[in-house]
Amino acid sequence: MKQKRRLSMKAVRFFKFSSKTIATATALAAAAALTIQASSKNSDRFDEIRAGFDGILRSSRAIYTVTLNTVDYKYSLRGIHSDSDEYRRKLAEVHHRSAIRILKLCEGNKGFYVKAGQFVAAVRQVPKEYSSTLSSLQDKAAPCQLNAIKKVLASNLGHDWSDLFSSFDEKPIAAASIAQVHHAVLKDQSEVAVKVQYPGLKYLMKIDIITMDLLSKAISWIFPEYRFDWMISEFERAISLELDFIQEAKNSERTAENLKSNSMVRIPRVFWDLTTSHVLTMEYCPGIKVDDLDLLKKNKINPVKVAKALVEVFAEMIFVHGFLHGDPHPGNILVSPEGHDDFSLILLDHGVYKELDQEFRLEYCQLWKALILQDSKQIELLGENFGVGKYSKYFPIIFTGRTVDSKAVLGTGMSAEEKNKLKLELKSLKMDDISSFMESLPSDFLTILRTDGLLRSIVSKLGASQRIRLFAYAKYAVYGLSRKLEPLTDPALDSVASQLKATFAYLRLRLFVELMELLYMVEGFHRSLVSRIKLVLAEALDMLVRISSFSFIK
C-alpha cells in the first residue's frame, strides 16, 4: 500500500511538473508570437495574428504529446533492470507507441512538424521504431489553399503576375511541408515549375523552434541520457536555409557547375526574373520518382544502374566538391527516360546544402581510405580529430557494416562470430552513449550521416546491393584525396620527392579500389553466367522430356 502511495505521489508531482511546463511553454510561445507581430511592420497584420494563435495551438498539441510519451517511458519501464531482455522488449514497445503519437502530432500540426518528422526519420542513430514510423511523412504534405498561393505570387511578382504566363495550372504538381509547385507556361512557350512558399512560415518557424527547444530541454531534465539539442540546432539550421529561395537558386547553379562533366545528372535552370525569396521559377523537368520501381521497369530503366548513378553523384558532391545536397529523399530525385545510358537523374529542391570545411573534407576522405584498408589506428586517430574519441570504433559499423577489427573484404557481411561479438557489445551501449556520440560530431558529419541514411534507403528500394554505395564512396574518396596534392596539411609536400610519394600513394589506393570493383563485377558476371547456364540446361532438359514423350506416343 505504501509502495502504491509513493508511486501515486510521484505521478502527481510529475503531472504538476508537466502542467507547469505546458503553461510556461504556451506563455513563451504566445510572447514569441506577440514579439514577432510587433517587430514586423511591413507584413500583413492578419497573417501575423493568425500565425501567432496557430503557433500557440500547435505548441499545446506538441507539449501534450511529449508529456504523454514521457509518462509512458517513465512508468512503463519502472522497476525493470536496464540490462534485462524484458527491459529491451518493453523499451521497443514504448518506442513504437511514442513514435505513433509523434506521427499523429506531425500530421496534425503539418508544416515544420512534418519537416521535423522527416528529419528524424532520416537519422539512422535514432531508435528504428521512430525512423520506420516517421518515414511515412515523406508523402504526407497537403497543398495550401489556392487563394493564399495567389496572394504570395501577387506580392512577389506583382499584382499582374498572371500576365507573365500563357497558362498556369492551379492544381499543384507537388506539395511539400513549406511550399508547393505549379506547372506553368511562359509567353515564349517555355515550360516552367513555379515553387511558391506558404505564407506566414517565418513566424510559425520561430514559435515552433522555441517549443521544440523547450521540450528538448524538458526531456533532458527528466531523462538525462536523452539529449536532443544537437538535433534541434541542426534542424533549425536546415529549415532556415530552406526558407530562402534566392539561396536555393544559387545552390542549384553552383551544383550544376560542379557536376557539369557528369552526363548522368541534370539540374533545372533558374529563371531569375521570376524568382524571389518566396517564389522560385525553374525549368520544368518531368521524370519518374527515383524509387518507383514499376515505372522504371515499364520504361526499361535498370534500377541498379539508377542506384549506381545516384550514389556516384552524391559521392562526388561529398568527397570532391565538398558541397552537399542535404535532403535527397525520393521526392527530390527524378529519373528521366532520356539521357546518357537511356536515363538521367534530375536533382530538385536545393534549399538545404552544406558546404563542408576543406580540412573536414580531406579528413573524411582519409577516414574512407582507412575504412578501405582496414587501418584501425588511423580510424582511431581520425576519431580524435572528429571529437568522438572512443566512439571512433563504431565508424566501420556505421558506414561499412564491419567491425573495426574485421578481416572481411569491403562489401561483404560480418561473420557469425563478429555478429555475436557486436551484439554483446551493443547491449552494453546506453542512450547516453549515443547522445554523447552525436553531440561530439561536427555539424558537417551530422549532415553526411543524414544524407547517407537517405541514400541507403533508396539503394535498398531499388534492389541494389550496398556494395554499390561502398565502392562509389571508396572511389570518390580516392579522387578527393588526389586534390590534396596542393599544400594543405603537410608543408613537406612542397618538395618534389614528397609530391611523388603522395602521388604514388594515391595511385596505389586507387588501384586497390578499382581491383575491388572489378572483382565485384566479375562476381556479378559469374552469378549471371551460372544462372543463364542453369536456365539453358533446364530448357534443354524440358525439350528432351517432350521429345521422349512424343517418341513414346508414336
Side-chain angles (χ1 to χ4, degrees):
M1 189 70 181
K2 286 181 180 179
Q3 178 69 16
K4 285 184 178 179
R5 189 178 293 114
R6 277 198 297 271
L7 287 173
S8 176
M9 290 301 294
K10 282 185 180 179
V12 168
R13 282 199 298 272
F14 182 75
F15 277 110
K16 280 183 179 179
F17 164 77
S18 300
S19 49
K20 282 180 184 177
T21 304
I22 292 173
T24 304
T26 306
L28 283 168
L34 293 172
T35 303
I36 293 163
Q37 176 190 342
S39 63
S40 304
K41 297 178 180 177
N42 300 322
S43 17
D44 191 316
R45 227 21 160 197
F46 177 72
D47 281 348
E48 294 169 26
I49 295 170
R50 184 176 59 185
F53 280 110
D54 188 30
I56 295 169
L57 179 63
R58 289 146 66 86
S59 299
S60 300
R61 282 198 204 110
I63 293 162
Y64 174 74
T65 299
V66 172
T67 300
L68 280 180
N69 282 354
T70 305
V71 170
D72 198 355
Y73 277 100
K74 197 79 175 174
Y75 293 100
S76 294
L77 301 172
R78 72 181 188 275
I80 307 173
H81 199 278
S82 60
D83 289 333
S84 65
D85 289 335
E86 184 189 0
Y87 181 89
R88 283 184 281 274
R89 181 179 58 80
K90 284 275 188 183
L91 183 61
E93 291 172 0
V94 182
H95 281 335
H96 182 66
R97 289 195 298 268
S98 299
I100 290 173
R101 293 188 195 108
I102 295 290
L103 176 63
K104 289 179 180 177
L105 168 67
C106 295
E107 290 172 343
N109 276 358
K110 301 182 175 64
F112 295 114
Y113 282 85
V114 171
K115 203 73 185 172
Q118 293 171 346
F119 188 88
V120 172
V123 178
R124 295 178 61 248
Q125 285 65 41
V126 301
K128 66 178 186 291
E129 292 82 7
Y130 282 90
S131 55
S132 59
T133 302
L134 297 177
S135 61
S136 64
L137 290 170
Q138 297 292 1
D139 300 310
K140 287 195 176 178
C144 186
Q145 291 184 353
L146 185 61
N147 286 339
I149 293 299
K150 286 181 176 179
K151 190 175 178 182
V152 175
L153 288 168
S155 63
N156 282 268
L157 302 181
H159 288 283
D160 56 349
W161 65 271
S162 55
D163 295 337
L164 301 170
F165 306 96
S166 61
S167 70
F168 187 93
D169 292 349
E170 295 190 344
K171 185 178 179 181
I173 56 175
S177 51
I178 68 166
Q180 63 192 48
V181 182
H182 293 259
H183 175 258
V185 180
L186 300 179
K187 295 295 184 181
D188 65 0
Q189 299 308 303
S190 298
E191 284 191 272
V192 294
V194 185
K195 184 176 179 179
V196 186
Q197 190 175 123
Y198 300 142
L201 286 185
K202 64 179 179 180
Y203 312 119
L204 285 177
M205 183 189 79
K206 292 180 181 179
I207 296 169
D208 289 348
I209 292 295
I210 287 171
T211 304
M212 291 176 192
D213 188 50
L214 281 168
L215 290 173
S216 168
K217 286 179 169 54
I219 292 169
S220 298
W221 184 77
I222 300 164
F223 301 108
E225 68 275 18
Y226 285 78
R227 300 188 296 280
F228 302 110
D229 289 355
W230 61 272
M231 194 180 291
I232 301 297
S233 60
E234 273 299 297
F235 174 68
E236 184 177 8
R237 183 198 67 81
I239 208 69
S240 299
L241 291 173
E242 204 167 352
L243 291 180
D244 184 358
F245 285 0
I246 295 286
Q247 186 59 50
E248 178 175 345
K250 290 178 180 177
N251 291 342
S252 70
E253 288 194 336
R254 181 174 172 183
T255 301
E257 177 63 23
N258 286 346
L259 301 175
K260 64 184 178 183
S261 61
N262 190 329
S263 58
M264 297 300 300
V265 67
R266 185 177 172 190
I267 311 292
R269 179 168 64 93
V270 176
F271 289 76
W272 280 103
D273 54 334
L274 297 174
T275 294
T276 69
S277 58
H278 296 94
V279 174
L280 174 57
T281 305
M282 307 158 285
E283 174 188 8
Y284 177 66
C285 296
I288 303 162
K289 198 174 172 184
V290 70
D291 63 347
D292 192 333
L293 284 172
D294 292 336
L295 272 181
L296 289 175
K297 290 175 181 176
K298 189 177 179 181
N299 283 272
K300 298 180 180 178
I301 298 172
N302 187 333
V304 175
K305 287 186 177 180
V306 171
K308 187 174 187 296
L310 177 65
V311 294
E312 288 196 346
V313 165
F314 276 85
E316 184 178 343
M317 287 184 186
I318 295 168
F319 295 102
V320 179
H321 304 295
F323 189 62
L324 175 62
H325 188 306
D327 195 18
H329 69 74
N332 289 339
I333 304 164
L334 302 180
V335 181
S336 170
E338 302 171 356
H340 180 72
D341 203 14
D342 299 326
F343 74 91
S344 61
L345 298 172
I346 302 167
L347 290 189
L348 306 175
D349 200 345
H350 300 270
V352 181
Y353 264 76
K354 184 73 173 179
E355 182 161 12
L356 304 180
D357 177 77
Q358 179 73 337
E359 186 178 348
F360 173 85
R361 181 187 71 81
L362 287 169
E363 288 185 341
Y364 191 65
C365 288
Q366 292 284 359
L367 175 62
W368 270 89
K369 177 183 174 182
L371 291 170
I372 295 162
L373 300 177
Q374 296 169 296
D375 187 343
S376 57
K377 288 185 179 178
Q378 181 69 359
I379 291 170
E380 186 180 346
L381 178 63
L382 288 164
E384 292 293 335
N385 292 350
F386 290 133
V388 298
K390 64 179 181 178
Y391 300 112
S392 62
K393 65 180 178 180
Y394 296 114
F395 281 152
I397 297 166
I398 292 170
F399 290 114
T400 67
R402 301 180 304 181
T403 56
V404 71
D405 53 357
S406 172
K407 301 303 176 188
V409 178
L410 184 69
T412 59
M414 287 185 282
S415 66
E417 184 184 349
E418 284 178 321
K419 286 179 181 177
N420 289 332
K421 183 180 176 182
L422 179 61
K423 190 175 180 180
L424 288 171
E425 189 171 346
L426 291 180
K427 275 187 177 182
S428 65
L429 277 181
K430 308 295 183 188
M431 190 63 202
D432 185 57
D433 293 307
I434 297 171
S435 295
S436 297
F437 173 67
M438 298 304 290
E439 284 175 335
S440 302
L441 286 173
S443 175
D444 289 357
F445 217 122
L446 293 171
T447 303
I448 285 176
L449 282 176
R450 181 172 182 271
T451 301
D452 184 57
L454 288 166
L455 289 175
R456 283 190 192 204
S457 176
I458 295 173
V459 168
S460 294
K461 286 179 182 177
L462 290 172
S465 166
Q466 289 297 331
R467 278 188 176 188
I468 285 176
R469 168 186 147 271
L470 294 176
F471 289 145
Y473 280 16
K475 183 188 294 185
Y476 280 90
V478 169
Y479 294 160
L481 283 173
S482 71
R483 302 182 68 187
K484 68 109 182 80
L485 298 180
E486 310 155 36
L488 289 166
T489 54
D490 186 1
L493 286 177
D494 292 337
S495 69
V496 176
S498 295
Q499 283 282 358
L500 288 172
K501 184 179 177 182
T503 304
F504 178 73
Y506 157 68
L507 291 173
R508 186 180 61 180
L509 182 61
R510 179 169 176 178
L511 178 63
F512 182 78
V513 172
E514 296 291 354
L515 282 172
M516 281 198 306
E517 192 165 23
L518 179 62
L519 286 171
Y520 176 57
M521 289 171 64
V522 168
E523 185 184 327
F525 175 74
H526 178 261
R527 283 198 303 267
S528 176
L529 184 63
V530 169
S531 298
R532 190 174 292 274
I533 291 170
K534 285 181 179 177
L535 182 62
V536 170
L537 287 173
E539 289 175 350
L541 183 62
D542 185 53
M543 188 176 290
L544 285 171
V545 170
R546 288 181 184 179
I547 291 170
S548 299
S549 299
F550 180 71
S551 300
F552 179 76
I553 291 168
K554 284 187 72 177

